[in-house]
Amino acid sequence: MLNISHISKTFNPGTADSKLALDDLCLDVDDGEFITIIGANGAGKSTLFGAIAGSFFTDEGRITLDGEDITMMPEYLRARKIGRLFQDPMRGTAPGMTIEENLSLAAGHGGWLSMAGSGQKKEFREMLRQLEMGLEDRMKQPMGLLSGGQRQAVTLLMATINPPSLLLLDEHTAALDPAAADKVLAITEEVVKKDHLTCLMITHNMQSALKLGTRTLMMDAGRIILDVSGSERGSMKVEDLLERFKSISGKALDNDRMLLTSEKDS
């Protein structure tokens, strides 16, 4: 479904700021897989998403999605098949437009509600009702007035209103308070399961990485150094992940945010 074959990316090559961000990385993702991705800052997680989404072209390698080579495809064309959420709740929506208009925009009507039939408007309302955030009664309010958690929940609906071939979640709960983060993660699970979406989710929370989805990857220095699923993943604890990281990379995981979050959840 998604095949990434030997991709590499160096930013600012030939300068003092040269950075090898992706290093001969390979990954195969089957239809319906929900993969969580963890790693320290600078491990290459968001860079991997940028390569998949087309934010830049890789220096080497090949990326195919649904059997189509998208390696040199522009980002705006990939966006027809790839949904993406970012850490910043302000990205991915039009803050001056209403909730209803944003959903209409995502549905392919350019934000013009007059082009959305009454049946689809009712669907918008029902989608919002299922979030259990009271937003179905605030459809005429601008997106910019919502809280971060509410906005991320609506952005998730927008990214999946026309189910994508691939959903990329780039630490989409990291900027939220714990209660809002838990709520958005629960909604994420429901949406992915309902539409049987293929999903890659970057998280700094190692507990969530093992609990959610079907497979967990750990990245370091632009490579995937650990890939676990099935019974092996099911029996793993955060301490096991830390030990495996140290054993493979030869160093301890040094990321205060990841460690502190996991300690609070354990």
Side-chain angles (χ1 to χ4, degrees), residues 40-232:
N41 293 336
K45 306 182 299 298
S46 292
T47 306
L48 172 61
F49 276 18
I52 296 170
S55 302
F56 53 81
F57 295 143
T58 57
D59 301 329
E60 299 175 3
R62 185 167 179 258
I63 304 173
T64 61
L65 181 62
D66 292 340
E68 181 179 11
D69 189 337
I70 63 171
T71 310
M72 302 302 293
M73 181 182 289
E75 184 174 18
Y76 75 92
L77 290 179
R78 298 192 205 192
R80 297 175 181 176
K81 288 189 171 186
I82 300 173
R84 189 176 183 184
L85 268 70
F86 299 88
Q87 179 175 333
D88 183 0
M90 300 300 286
R91 296 183 67 174
T93 62
M97 296 174 67
T98 66
I99 298 172
E100 194 175 40
E101 288 168 338
N102 270 272
L103 290 171
S104 180
L105 180 67
H109 303 306
W112 295 103
L113 285 172
S114 59
M115 296 178 65
S118 59
Q120 185 155 49
K121 292 179 184 180
K122 290 181 180 178
E123 288 180 12
F124 292 164
R125 185 178 181 85
E126 177 59 21
M127 290 166 62
L128 292 168
R129 187 193 65 76
Q130 291 179 11
L131 296 180
E132 297 181 350
M133 290 181 166
L135 296 179
E136 67 273 17
D137 298 322
R138 298 173 59 187
M139 291 177 61
K140 302 297 184 182
Q141 290 192 0
M143 280 287 293
L145 296 181
L146 302 186
S147 68
Q150 291 170 333
R151 190 160 180 163
Q152 285 295 61
V154 176
T155 305
L156 181 61
L157 292 184
M158 292 173 63
T160 58
I161 195 168
N162 296 312
S165 295
L166 180 65
L167 179 62
L168 303 177
L169 305 175
D170 192 348
E171 294 199 79
H172 68 308
T173 63
L176 308 179
D177 64 75
D182 288 345
K183 178 65 176 177
V184 172
L185 281 177
I187 294 170
T188 300
E189 279 193 286
E190 292 174 7
V191 170
V192 171
K193 182 177 181 180
K194 176 175 67 71
D195 293 325
H196 193 60
L197 298 177
T198 305
C199 178
L200 302 181
M201 184 183 83
I202 296 172
T203 178
H204 64 272
N205 188 317
M206 290 187 286
Q207 193 72 36
S208 293
L210 291 173
K211 177 184 176 183
L212 301 175
T214 57
R215 181 177 166 194
T216 296
L217 309 179
M218 179 173 277
M219 292 187 64
D220 182 56
R223 287 175 172 266
I224 295 171
I225 64 170
L226 182 65
D227 184 345
V228 292
S229 58
S231 59
E232 180 186 13

